[in-house]
Amino acid sequence: MKSLFKSKPKTPAEIVRLTREILIYLDSNSTSREAAASKTKREEKMLELSKYIRELKCILYGNSEAEPVSEACSQLTQEFFRENTLRLLIICLPKLSLEARKDATQVVANLQRQQVHSRLIASDYLEANKDLMDILISGYEIPELALHYGAMLRECIRHQSIARYVLESEHMKKFFDYIQLPNFDIASDASATFKELMTRHKSTVAEFLTKNYEWFFAEFNSKLLESPNYITRRQAVKLLGDMLLDRANSGVMMRYVSSKDNLRILMNLLRETSKNIQLEAFHVFKLFAANQNKPPDIVGILIANRSKLLRFLGGFTTDKEDEQFEADKSQVIKEIAALGPSS
Amino acid sequence: MAVHEEENRKMSFPLDPNSYRIFQKIGCGVSAAVYKAVCLPMNSTIVAIKAIDLERSRANLDDVRREAKAMALLSHPNILKAHCSFTVDHHLWVVMPFMAAGSLHSIISSSFPDGLSESSIAVFLKETLNALLYLHDQGHLHRDIKAGNILVDSDGSVKLADFGVSASIYEPNSSQTSSSLFSSSNLWFNELAGTPYWMAPEVIHSHVGYSFKADIWSFGITALELAHGRPPLSHLPPWKSLFMRITNSLRLSDYEKCKTSKNKKFSKSFKDMVASCLSPDPSRRPTAEKLLKHPFFKNCRSGDFLVRSVLQGLPTVEERYKESLRSQHDPQAAIDDDEDDEESLVAPVEKHRRISGWNFNERVLEMDPVFPTQDKENDREGVRFDGDNISQANASIHAEEIDRMKANPSLSPTQSCSLDDTDVDNARSKHDDVEKDKLQMDLGRERINEDDTVTNSEEQEEYEVSSTSTTVAAAPLVPVLRLIMDSLEDERQVLSNLIAGISGGHIETKHEEDIQETIAQLSLQLEQEKKRSSDLEAELECLRKTTIENSEDVSRTTYSVQCSNTTGPINISI
């Protein structure tokens, strides 16, 4: 009966406003001294909030019956970023139920891609609110928030300016620890974000690596490539290959493959029992060998280990047939064999 | 509040291997093993630990991450949630609640080989549907619904497990077009994922895309699995069952026949429920929500009922696992299973059963629900590479096939299903013959290099190709063939294990030769399937044009199809 006389359905902008009102309420009543009476009220508000967030998600993603309507999405996005809704939502996330957190994460993720008048207004908002990234990144230290904040963060760094902010922030150093957290869900989420940061925006990454070469690769080598943790090493050596083989990073690559310390680390990775690590290590090692301007100490190491290396490479195969790998391998063998007379 | 408690509990499970004492292995798959263990600092709570070998796991680490994330964020009484997960050298340990009664698959194989009673099926399925409703509401497709992934605890509670191949519409993975804006077009998936027998037709035809309804299909197959003790077509190796699904629809009438012959009667509402799930048109299958309202689930009993009717007197999962190993020729074979099947939790049995089933397990064939006249095949299975026998059968199908096509040139697989309702009895028996012969057709392919049948089979090849191409688009065959390739690879593994066993055993070398030959044939077949797929792609285009121009003259189209029948090199070595 009630629904029959209910006023017409709320507009997307109205739902955003209602969501924001409750978030403001939650945010201002966050203190621990809440009376029993206000507790029930609070719970009611929470339920309402969950419902609104779910509705926002439905508008943005559509459902099995209906595709999303771009006009509605656009209204929603504009209203959302007109005021501080995103900040409130991020700050209040710990107070939401698991289901509402998941919905909120999906809403935030979607909003990063919504264009209004062919502009990503989420990007504009975030540029003015970069400190939100600080909150999202520190989420990796809070197990029950890490996966939600992590997913939001990955969407936010799709914006180049935001990715640059994160890269240049002090937080970058923390990633080396987050990647190795004991909790696998969180560690692997952090490592996915790290990879995204280091590969998504080519020019920004190249600029960052050039500027921060020293500390970055010192950390990368010691904390990741020489980590006692198998999965850290495996992911790191793969990422290293992806980074160095990217054309935008050719300068960084030349610098990397001219260091004998780096060569030593990669040669140790070649000796791993893990086939996956060996293979990924080979893809980096080949760059040392293929370098036409090898510094003398690199040449020295390669010559000193020539017979061992050639024996190893001779017996090094992939499970699957891989022409590219075989071609690379024979090239590397040729390079090493052609080095000056052994000492 | 409940959420908070949940989190606290989850957090308190320690993230280091020394806090756990492993008792015994209770299951294993290709790249993972499941152990029963206790968590020492938590009053020795019993847990199940799934140890995934990241070095052997073919899945990339992103998939493993997605699975861990799904298990960490899903929260529903009918879904198995991980307590925690952490790496131990190159293994990922996923610590989960121990489900004492094991998987439904293992329960069935050990104690209910002919299937469960309808009233207990209703309870299991209803609980599974609750999980499915929640998952779909969350935008998740499970993509591997089957009895092996439905776990039961000693109190009769039921949980859906294994999110190894699940997918979320909100987190498009790398193989999808992730650059586009999120929209409902993301509701469609194209990857081939799941376990062949349970896979919906639109998943196999993956170019058209599939969505939540693919889970509903697998749910329907699972219902049949619970009713009969095994899924339809499971006497065939997985890759053959894929072909059957492409060229034929499943026909419930065959099950009914089978049931009456076994004196096993199912209610109309059960049959109706299953039939609705197995509608070839995904849009006609009910949603999980609608399915829950089906009369079959009215007056459903509770977990207590399951304890009394099913769980009482069951061997423990440990015993069942040991038994499954004992029944194996070579325990090692347990490891070599089809890799596409994610390791099922606490259900090791199914792993090697499926592959070795068609070689060694006669009982499975006796229960064949799809081909009621199976006794002969049963014998034949023992001598399944006896050429004469098979080629003969081979010849007869094609006549049938062509007759059928002439009679109804536009007959598509979907339509052939509805035919059952209208056809008269003799037509149906003819259908059965076709069905039966289709099986033989598959076997027959293995013989095409046999001298005395070469000419014959070359002709047949043409028919086969044409009949397939009228019913199948070529594009989806590519992933299917890839799957087949993997499957063949797995079969090869089983065979090589067997050979290893034989070389140390007393079985005559003749068998070994047979097996060698089998391997050679399988690899030959593989080559041919590869060729065929590329031919098909080319021919499809040509066929389409021809069909449009002259839709009546189907038989001519048939003859015009070229099929390269040259035997490819045999690449597979032992």
Side-chain angles (χ1 to χ4, degrees):
Chain A
M1 279 298 270
K2 206 174 169 186
S3 64
L4 271 180
F5 299 104
K6 225 176 174 179
S7 55
K8 59 180 178 183
K10 297 182 188 72
T11 67
E14 273 168 351
I15 301 173
V16 175
R17 275 194 289 277
L18 289 165
T19 307
R20 187 162 54 224
E21 276 163 27
I22 302 180
L23 287 170
I24 291 170
Y25 169 85
L26 280 181
D27 189 38
S28 57
N29 287 282
S30 59
T31 44
S32 52
R33 50 186 164 81
E34 44 180 307
S38 78
K39 202 175 173 186
T40 45
K41 191 184 173 196
R42 199 184 148 95
E43 272 162 21
E44 259 171 47
K45 291 266 185 196
M46 289 302 298
L47 279 179
E48 226 178 313
L49 179 62
S50 305
K51 204 186 83 197
Y52 290 142
I53 297 176
R54 176 61 63 101
E55 279 177 40
L56 293 177
K57 183 175 119 178
C58 275
I59 294 169
L60 291 170
Y61 287 94
N63 54 30
S64 48
E65 277 111 55
E67 297 254 329
V69 181
S70 60
E71 179 52 34
C73 292
S74 159
Q75 273 186 37
L76 189 158
T77 310
Q78 272 176 301
E79 181 60 32
F80 200 93
F81 290 113
R82 204 170 55 79
E83 282 181 50
N84 249 340
T85 326
L86 183 60
R87 176 178 297 275
L88 285 164
L89 192 57
I90 288 175
I91 291 173
C92 293
L93 200 78
K95 294 171 187 158
L96 304 186
S97 69
L98 175 66
E99 296 307 317
R101 283 179 198 175
K102 285 189 276 185
D103 288 342
T105 304
Q106 284 155 6
V107 167
V108 171
N110 185 295
L111 286 171
Q112 304 310 315
R113 304 163 187 226
Q114 288 290 347
Q115 297 194 1
V116 179
H117 307 307
S118 60
R119 244 195 109 70
L120 289 166
I121 58 174
S123 177
D124 299 342
Y125 176 86
L126 286 175
E127 272 199 58
N129 294 273
K130 285 177 181 157
D131 62 306
L132 286 177
M133 296 302 108
D134 307 345
I135 302 179
L136 294 183
I137 293 170
S138 59
Y140 282 123
E141 287 159 37
I142 311 163
E144 59 271 30
L145 295 177
L147 295 182
H148 307 288
Y149 279 172
M152 288 185 190
L153 178 62
R154 266 196 306 287
E155 291 300 323
C156 292
I157 58 173
R158 295 169 69 90
H159 310 300
Q160 188 157 8
S161 57
I162 303 307
R164 182 181 297 120
Y165 169 78
V166 176
L167 280 170
E168 286 167 359
S169 72
E170 277 304 298
H171 302 301
M172 257 335 259
K173 293 192 169 134
K174 294 193 200 158
F175 272 98
F176 294 96
D177 298 322
Y178 294 156
I179 286 172
Q180 307 201 62
L181 284 169
N183 189 326
F184 177 78
D185 338 327
I186 300 173
S188 60
D189 193 281
S191 133
T193 307
F194 186 67
K195 184 183 170 197
E196 186 80 0
L197 278 170
M198 298 316 303
T199 52
R200 186 168 187 99
H201 304 285
K202 313 278 182 212
S203 59
T204 313
V205 171
E207 193 190 320
F208 165 78
L209 286 176
T210 313
K211 245 192 268 172
N212 299 277
Y213 184 94
E214 292 294 338
W215 78 261
F216 182 85
F217 282 107
E219 291 278 286
F220 198 95
N221 286 349
S222 65
K223 285 203 170 154
L224 305 185
L225 291 181
E226 296 185 306
S227 161
N229 187 328
Y230 159 87
I231 197 134
T232 305
R233 289 195 309 277
R234 178 168 160 190
Q235 283 177 318
V237 68
K238 169 91 170 69
L239 176 61
L240 179 65
D242 290 349
M243 285 178 349
L244 297 185
L245 285 163
D246 195 310
R247 195 172 304 171
N249 293 329
S250 55
V252 173
M253 188 265 275
M254 284 312 290
R255 197 166 162 191
Y256 193 89
V257 300
S258 301
S259 149
K260 81 172 196 296
D261 287 340
N262 294 344
L263 176 62
R264 182 187 52 78
I265 290 171
L266 267 301
M267 279 170 68
N268 280 333
L269 288 169
L270 277 180
R271 292 170 50 215
E272 291 249 357
T273 50
S274 155
K275 193 92 185 171
N276 286 301
I277 292 179
Q278 280 187 329
L279 259 178
E280 295 301 341
F282 172 77
H283 286 301
V284 179
F285 174 78
K286 71 186 180 192
L287 300 172
F288 287 88
N291 180 7
Q292 291 310 304
N293 299 310
K294 288 189 257 309
D297 50 354
I298 297 274
V299 176
I301 292 178
L302 291 178
I303 289 177
N305 294 284
R306 172 154 54 194
S307 59
K308 277 186 198 162
L309 280 169
L310 292 178
R311 203 178 327 126
F312 166 77
L313 291 170
F316 189 35
T317 51
T318 50
D319 293 338
K320 283 180 204 140
E321 243 179 84
D322 184 344
E323 278 180 34
Q324 186 59 47
F325 169 78
E326 291 300 328
D328 286 351
K329 193 176 76 177
S330 46
Q331 182 66 30
V332 169
I333 290 175
K334 223 172 82 191
E335 289 283 348
I336 294 177
L339 291 171
S342 68
S343 42
Chain B
M1 282 315 270
V3 175
H4 262 118
E5 279 163 28
E6 184 81 23
E7 270 162 11
N8 290 341
R9 206 152 45 85
K10 187 187 161 188
M11 280 180 62
S12 53
F13 273 87
L15 298 167
D16 93 278
N18 298 324
S19 301
Y20 299 87
R21 181 183 295 148
I22 288 184
F23 284 151
Q24 64 236 93
K25 203 184 243 191
I26 49 175
C28 77
V30 207
S31 56
V34 182
Y35 301 90
K36 184 181 178 181
V38 290
C39 177
L40 299 170
M42 298 200 54
N43 292 326
S44 294
T45 309
I46 299 179
V47 294
I49 295 177
K50 179 174 172 179
I52 302 170
D53 186 340
L54 296 170
E55 192 60 24
R56 290 198 59 173
S57 160
R58 202 171 46 180
N60 67 39
L61 295 175
D62 259 1
D63 292 338
V64 181
R65 174 176 70 87
R66 227 170 269 120
E67 178 181 6
K69 187 176 169 182
M71 282 194 84
L73 291 183
L74 294 171
S75 173
H76 186 273
N78 293 114
I79 285 180
L80 188 74
K81 197 179 153 97
H83 290 313
C84 64
S85 55
F86 51 91
T87 55
V88 182
D89 193 28
H90 60 91
H91 286 87
L92 174 65
W93 280 24
V94 184
V95 182
M96 296 171 288
F98 177 68
M99 299 291 281
S103 82
L104 274 181
H105 181 275
S106 119
I107 291 174
I108 290 174
S109 348
S110 89
S111 306
F112 300 89
D114 294 326
L116 295 161
S117 74
E118 214 179 291
S119 44
S120 42
I121 291 174
V123 187
F124 287 126
L125 288 183
K126 190 177 182 182
E127 300 294 309
T128 308
L129 261 187
N130 283 329
L132 214 48
L133 176 62
Y134 172 81
L135 275 183
H136 288 180
D137 191 47
Q138 297 273 315
H140 268 279
L141 272 78
H142 185 279
R143 303 205 292 191
D144 203 11
I145 303 280
K146 56 180 181 181
N149 285 337
I150 301 171
L151 304 184
V152 187
D153 207 349
S154 50
D155 64 354
S157 63
V158 178
K159 288 185 200 286
L160 185 59
D162 203 334
F163 296 85
V165 295
S166 75
S168 167
I169 58 166
Y170 299 111
E171 191 171 346
N173 66 30
S174 47
S175 62
Q176 277 174 273
T177 50
S178 55
S179 55
S180 68
L181 211 128
F182 272 133
S183 77
S184 64
S185 61
N186 276 6
L187 292 170
W188 296 94
F189 292 87
N190 288 300
E191 292 163 274
L192 192 61
T195 312
Y197 306 123
W198 288 264
M199 246 182 228
E202 72 270 20
V203 178
I204 302 167
H205 287 263
S206 41
H207 71 301
V208 293
Y210 60 92
S211 193
F212 299 113
K213 296 295 181 64
D215 275 348
I216 300 293
W217 171 283
S218 310
F219 178 82
I221 299 289
T222 306
L224 290 175
E225 186 187 7
L226 299 185
H228 293 291
R230 52 196 207 78
L233 305 179
S234 59
H235 59 293
L236 297 175
W239 56 274
K240 278 184 188 163
S241 81
L242 285 177
F243 268 107
M244 299 291 289
R245 213 88 44 77
I246 289 172
T247 50
N248 276 283
S249 309
L250 288 171
R251 296 205 309 273
L252 283 174
S253 57
D254 294 325
Y255 288 101
E256 281 154 32
K257 254 185 232 167
C258 178
K259 277 172 218 155
T260 42
S261 72
K262 281 191 153 55
N263 290 328
K264 205 170 175 189
K265 285 232 189 289
F266 287 102
S267 69
K268 194 176 170 303
S269 74
F270 182 54
K271 284 187 272 193
D272 178 74
M273 191 277 292
V274 176
S276 70
C277 295
L278 297 182
S279 166
D281 177 1
S283 65
R284 295 184 62 184
R285 288 174 220 151
T287 60
E289 190 180 8
K290 198 169 163 213
L291 209 48
L292 267 173
K293 293 177 185 137
H294 193 278
F296 178 64
F297 298 111
K298 289 264 160 63
N299 309 318
C300 211
R301 313 255 205 134
S302 67
D304 295 341
F305 170 73
L306 293 182
V307 176
R308 274 179 279 120
S309 65
V310 179
L311 306 185
Q312 234 162 41
L314 267 185
T316 66
V317 282
E318 297 95 309
E319 286 162 359
R320 274 181 258 158
Y321 180 64
K322 278 187 200 139
E323 184 51 43
S324 75
L325 288 182
R326 215 172 296 138
S327 65
Q328 232 14 61
H329 280 257
D330 172 6
Q332 276 300 311
I335 295 160
D336 303 298
D337 187 26
D338 61 336
E339 261 191 71
D340 300 286
D341 181 6
E342 276 294 314
E343 310 66 45
S344 61
L345 182 78
V346 201
V349 199
E350 89 189 285
K351 309 302 299 178
H352 37 98
R353 273 209 117 143
R354 188 176 313 130
I355 294 302
S356 55
W358 59 279
N359 272 334
F360 310 117
N361 195 341
E362 295 221 335
R363 187 178 58 77
V364 174
L365 268 160
E366 280 166 20
M367 295 175 58
D368 179 1
V370 180
F371 310 107
T373 54
Q374 45 161 330
D375 285 352
K376 278 182 210 156
E377 286 170 27
N378 210 345
D379 298 339
R380 219 173 277 155
E381 188 71 9
V383 289
R384 59 193 298 274
F385 297 107
D386 178 331
D388 293 342
N389 223 345
I390 290 164
S391 319
Q392 235 180 359
N394 206 357
S396 65
I397 347 162
H398 302 291
E400 294 265 12
E401 273 286 285
I402 287 157
D403 277 351
R404 196 167 68 135
M405 285 171 49
K406 276 183 184 156
N408 193 351
S410 64
L411 193 67
S412 77
T414 8
Q415 283 160 321
S416 82
C417 179
S418 52
L419 267 181
D420 283 334
D421 306 322
T422 50
D423 262 8
V424 281
D425 274 1
N426 60 0
R428 180 171 295 168
S429 68
K430 190 173 145 192
H431 260 237
D432 291 337
D433 285 344
V434 176
E435 281 275 11
K436 190 189 91 183
D437 288 335
K438 279 224 147 181
L439 163 67
Q440 298 306 328
M441 172 176 80
D442 279 324
L443 297 178
R445 281 180 189 154
E446 287 157 14
R447 303 302 306 172
I448 56 165
N449 60 340
E450 191 82 359
D451 288 340
D452 56 343
T453 57
V454 163
T455 36
N456 224 350
S457 46
E458 263 170 17
E459 276 173 40
Q460 288 157 14
E461 284 295 306
E462 290 191 7
Y463 298 149
E464 273 178 37
V465 169
S466 58
S467 69
T468 319
S469 48
T470 50
T471 50
V472 198
L477 278 180
V478 179
V480 172
L481 287 173
R482 216 166 279 144
L483 209 98
I484 288 168
M485 222 156 73
D486 297 341
S487 176
L488 282 173
E489 184 67 16
D490 293 331
E491 284 167 33
R492 191 181 67 82
Q493 285 271 14
V494 173
L495 287 168
S496 32
N497 268 319
L498 195 74
I499 292 168
I502 288 167
S503 55
H506 60 278
I507 308 174
E508 309 89 90
T509 42
K510 193 174 177 301
H511 282 178
E512 195 170 356
E513 279 163 22
D514 281 354
I515 288 153
Q516 301 267 16
E517 195 191 347
T518 307
I519 292 167
Q521 284 162 355
L522 283 172
S523 51
L524 181 66
Q525 205 172 342
L526 173 68
E527 280 303 317
Q528 280 163 347
E529 299 291 2
K530 276 187 197 164
K531 277 215 178 62
R532 196 166 297 144
S533 104
S534 59
D535 289 339
L536 273 171
E537 272 176 56
E539 289 313 321
L540 177 73
E541 274 312 301
C542 151
L543 259 178
R544 265 200 196 122
K545 281 173 201 153
T546 331
T547 322
I548 291 161
E549 282 162 23
N550 192 355
S551 57
E552 294 165 280
D553 200 355
V554 169
S555 53
R556 226 188 57 187
T557 319
T558 306
Y559 284 100
S560 74
V561 172
Q562 303 285 317
C563 173
S564 112
N565 208 10
T566 48
T567 52
I570 296 165
N571 283 334
I572 296 175
S573 57
I574 302 167

